[in-house]
Each structure stands twice: as structure tokens, then as C-alpha cells.
Amino acid sequence: RRVGGRAEARRTAAELLERVDLTPAEDYLDKYPHQMSGGQRQRVAVARALAMNPEVVIADESTSMLDVSIRVSMLNTLGRLRDELGVGFLFITHDLAVAKYFAWEGEIAVMYLGRVVEHGPTPRVVGEPSHPYTRALISAVCEPDPDLVHGKERFRLRSADVPDLTDLPPGCDFHPRCPLHEAGGCDTLRPSLVRHQDRLLSCHVVTRG
Ligand code: SF4
């Protein structure tokens, strides 16, 4: 956006601050970063991204440093901006609960060692994970209800060791840890990401079924 002078720049900055729920904006316009909390600084970072009138915002672990109580309010702000402004969000996180909360009406792509192994509508992937790595991730999420724990799938890995990124195993990257691996196939040929039913999957065994 083209800004005319100092007064217009302040007006634009104030609008952006209010958009990310830093209100009243006058309280924040002249503050230095060390005068703000971590959550407030994250909101300023989002306001700076919005100043470019983007079509897409890439938010890389944007809530991981925040206290859990602030995290939800930040996610709600981002969700509101996504819906109100029509901005697309590529949200990168290690926290499955955050991904689920933020992208429930969108899509989720699960990555292992830098490659997408499963990609599809969030409720489908989270509700019925297909790739062995996604199944292991979902089964590792703590369940507070003891009754639900009994019916929950326990998906045990063959190994807890994550391969070195500079020395990847042959074949499927996940095969040294995968409980479904098949010798002679999984350890020689890397599976491609292919469409399988309602999602994209990278697994020789699951996509065969
Ligand atoms: S290709 Fe084989 S090793 Fe890789 S995820 Fe599928 S079953 Fe497991």
C-alpha cells in the first residue's frame, strides 16, 4: 500500500494494529519491542505481514513460543483475519492440536523428514489417518478420558531413532521405524506421493489396498 506522509503512515499502522487486536492502537504505536509481551510482538509481526496486502501468509511456528492461554486467542485472531480478509494461511506447526484447531475446515499436509507423506482434508486425515507415520502421530496424542484410551489404536514404531537428514536410508524414509514395512520393497524404492481415495499418500503398502 502506498503511504503519503507521516500522518497517513500512523493512521495505516493504527488500522493494522487494531486489525490484530492490539487496541487501542495509540497505546502500541510508539512502543519498542522490549516494552511488549511475546504475544503482542507476534501480533505486530502479523500486522507487518498484512501491511503488504498479501494473498497468502506463511506462519511458521507462530504460536509455539506462546503460553497456552495466549495461544488460543492468537489462533482466533488469525482465523478471523483469514475469514474476514480472505487471506490464505500456510500454517507450519509441530503441534497437531494447533493444526487441528486452526485448519479444521482446510487441509493438512503431514511431513516426515522434509517430505509430505499424507495430505488431505483435515477432519479426514485426523479422524482416519492412513499413512503409518500419521497413525503413529495421532496415536501418540494424550487422551484425558480413560474410557477412550481403551478403544484407542496403539501404533508402535519399530524404532524411536530418527534418521540423519544428511544420511537418509534407501527406499522409504520411514522404513527403519515403520511397523508395516515390507522387506524388498519399502527399503529399496522411495514411494511417490499419489492420490489415494480422498487424499494424497506416499506409501507402497497403504496405496496398494
Ligand atoms: S512405504 Fe513401507 S515403510 Fe514406507 S510408510 Fe509405507 S509401509 Fe511404511
Side-chain angles (χ1 to χ4, degrees):
R1 184 189 302 199
R2 197 150 185 277
V3 175
R6 186 173 168 75
E8 189 179 340
R10 277 185 80 84
R11 211 166 30 248
T12 303
E15 276 171 27
L16 287 164
L17 289 174
E18 289 188 357
R19 200 153 251 174
V20 296
D21 297 329
L22 288 174
T23 54
E26 279 300 325
D27 288 358
Y28 298 93
L29 271 174
D30 297 306
K31 278 192 173 159
Y32 288 100
H34 71 270
Q35 296 172 310
M36 295 185 171
S37 68
Q40 289 167 343
R41 286 200 295 271
Q42 282 294 54
R43 287 175 189 275
V44 171
V46 175
R48 288 175 64 186
L50 294 178
M52 305 300 293
N53 285 333
E55 289 181 12
V56 177
V57 172
I58 299 175
D60 189 356
E61 295 287 6
S62 57
T63 58
S64 58
M65 302 285 282
L66 303 179
D67 185 88
V68 174
S69 60
I70 302 169
R71 203 174 289 173
V72 172
S73 119
M74 183 70 184
L75 287 170
N76 288 341
T77 300
L78 293 177
R80 182 178 53 70
L81 292 170
R82 177 196 59 204
D83 299 340
E84 282 179 11
L85 305 178
V87 180
F89 270 86
L90 179 60
F91 199 91
I92 302 165
T93 180
H94 279 84
D95 187 331
L96 201 57
V98 166
K100 204 169 132 182
Y101 187 79
F102 188 73
W104 190 249
E105 291 176 12
E107 295 186 358
I108 192 166
V110 180
M111 297 184 81
Y112 183 70
L113 295 179
R115 286 193 169 82
V116 173
V117 294
E118 181 161 5
H119 178 189
T122 304
R124 298 286 306 131
V125 172
V126 172
E128 282 181 47
S130 294
H131 192 278
Y133 179 60
T134 319
R135 286 170 67 184
L137 278 182
I138 305 261
S139 74
V141 173
C142 291
E143 178 55 67
D145 182 342
D147 290 339
L148 291 180
V149 171
H150 295 307
K152 193 172 164 186
E153 176 190 42
R154 296 180 80 83
F155 202 76
R156 293 193 189 283
L157 299 180
R158 293 202 299 150
S159 156
D161 297 332
V162 179
D164 186 343
L165 262 176
T166 61
D167 185 22
L168 290 173
C172 173
D173 295 337
F174 194 50
H175 90 260
R177 309 176 69 201
C178 180
L180 302 188
H181 102 287
E182 291 178 354
C186 295
D187 48 8
T188 52
L189 191 65
R190 172 177 284 143
S192 305
L193 188 66
V194 295
R195 176 149 294 280
H196 180 71
Q197 297 167 357
D198 59 354
R199 62 194 74 181
L200 297 172
L201 271 173
S202 165
C203 176
H204 295 308
V205 174
V206 177
T207 54
R208 205 171 51 210

